[in-house]
Amino acid sequence: MTHTLKAAVLAVAATLTLAACGDKTPADKVLTKVNGNVISTDTLDWLIKEQVPAGTPVDDSLRLRARDHLVQRAVLLEAARTAKLDQQADIKMRMEYVRDEQLVNAYIKDWLAKNPVTDEKVKAEFDKRIAEAGDTEFKARHILVEKEEDAKALIEKLKKGGKFADLAKASKDPGSAATGGDLGWARPATFVPEFAEALKGLEKGKFTETPVKSQFGYHVILLEDVRKIAPPPIESIKPQLQQSLQQEALAAYIKDLVAKAKIEDSKPAEPKAAASQ
């Protein structure tokens, strides 16, 4: 049994219970007995289906390894119960939490299956994102400095014929300073709003004559070129859109459940005073 398989099964130990020898398990469903406790073939089949990667051949060797793991797990569970670890408060709490977490995850999976994202919603989201991103890319350079007066001084040097790439060596943006402030081709939506607005307002070959302030400092921006781009095929990003919409829908559903729930917080218990020394 692989480490991954073993860890995964131990993680759900609280959800699986060995049946006592006097249970109602049909004889043809009994895989083996460990100290009188039944391990059923259903448990073995579930374990393989749940943990073995799809496409893996399920041969006698794999089933034997799975069976051996369940036997080892059974004796460890019995030893833990004999040691009364299952009666310890923190362990009982952890077991209950893991059990409930399994049920919550199963409910979420069921809800998602019953509330699929339609092709119409995917198309609407695709159109929305394409509109927001725009159909134009800009090739720009920038110089980022801490103070507005420094940006103004750079602008004056540019007006007097200074080369942008040379002046960009003083930029505090390490990612572009070494390449003359080059930012490559990008859509305005990839930049912070102040930068994007200034960029869209420039003519090709021109630079900003007023420092552009953003959360990072003051920018001097040069627009080198502009080009139109075609949107990607919807099929190329459909899985990502579906996942995004699905997660948004799930978050909204959970938020609604919480809003409708009767939640009564009580005052946290006061910490006990430290015992006198």
Side-chain angles (χ1 to χ4, degrees):
M1 185 62 59
T2 65
H3 175 74
T4 300
L5 180 56
K6 182 176 180 180
V9 176
L10 288 175
V12 296
T15 67
L16 298 177
T17 304
L18 292 174
C21 58
D23 72 359
K24 304 298 183 180
T25 305
D28 62 345
K29 291 287 187 179
V30 175
L31 174 68
T32 189
K33 293 182 181 180
V34 180
N35 293 332
N37 293 318
V38 171
I39 299 175
S40 71
T41 56
D42 287 344
T43 300
L44 179 73
D45 292 339
W46 171 86
L47 175 63
I48 292 173
K49 180 181 177 182
E50 185 78 9
Q51 301 299 335
V52 175
T56 303
V58 180
D59 54 18
D60 290 342
S61 175
L62 187 146
R63 293 181 67 83
L64 180 60
R65 294 199 305 274
R67 174 262 183 202
D68 289 347
H69 170 73
L70 288 172
V71 169
Q72 292 173 18
R73 178 179 171 278
V75 296
L76 286 169
L77 277 172
E78 185 174 358
R81 287 170 179 149
T82 299
K84 299 187 183 302
L85 294 181
D86 58 330
Q87 299 303 310
Q88 291 185 9
D90 60 333
I91 295 177
K92 287 176 68 175
M93 183 69 70
R94 189 179 302 120
M95 291 172 66
E96 291 172 4
Y97 185 88
V98 171
R99 179 202 63 204
D100 291 347
E101 190 75 359
Q102 291 294 310
L103 186 58
V104 167
N105 290 339
Y107 180 75
I108 289 175
K109 183 178 180 180
D110 181 69
W111 186 89
L112 291 173
K114 292 177 179 176
N115 296 272
V117 175
T118 65
D119 288 342
E120 290 77 14
K121 288 183 179 179
V122 171
K123 180 62 166 59
E125 181 67 13
F126 176 79
D127 292 341
K128 174 187 173 185
R129 294 193 182 191
I130 292 300
E132 290 175 348
D135 62 352
T136 305
E137 279 190 332
F138 296 78
K139 190 174 189 304
R141 293 178 184 269
H142 87 135
I143 306 171
L144 177 64
V145 292
E146 194 76 39
K147 300 177 181 179
E148 184 178 13
E149 53 265 36
D150 292 338
K152 289 180 177 179
L154 287 168
I155 291 170
E156 289 304 314
K157 290 179 181 179
L158 288 170
K159 288 180 177 180
K160 294 177 181 179
K163 292 185 178 181
F164 201 97
D166 292 337
L167 295 174
K169 293 177 182 177
S171 177
K172 73 169 192 170
D173 174 12
S176 66
T179 58
D182 188 16
L183 296 174
W185 288 98
R187 298 186 185 193
T190 62
F191 300 113
V192 292
E194 304 90 343
F195 191 105
E197 287 304 311
L199 186 61
K200 289 187 291 185
L202 282 173
E203 293 181 22
K204 181 177 173 180
K206 301 293 186 179
F207 56 85
T208 52
E209 297 190 11
T210 300
V212 178
K213 185 180 179 180
S214 78
Q215 66 197 74
F216 304 106
Y218 290 87
H219 306 261
V220 179
I221 307 168
L222 169 66
L223 176 59
E224 291 190 316
D225 205 353
V226 180
R227 68 184 180 188
K228 293 290 184 180
I229 56 171
I234 188 172
E235 293 301 325
S236 69
I237 59 173
K238 185 176 181 179
Q240 296 95 311
L241 292 176
Q242 286 176 321
Q243 183 178 27
S244 176
L245 289 170
Q246 201 171 49
Q247 291 304 314
E248 288 178 8
L250 176 61
Y253 174 67
I254 294 173
K255 184 178 180 180
D256 184 59
L257 286 179
V258 172
K260 292 178 179 177
K262 183 179 181 181
I263 301 173
E264 300 174 272
D265 289 325
S266 59
K267 184 179 180 181
E270 294 293 337
K272 294 181 179 180
S276 301
Q277 298 294 324

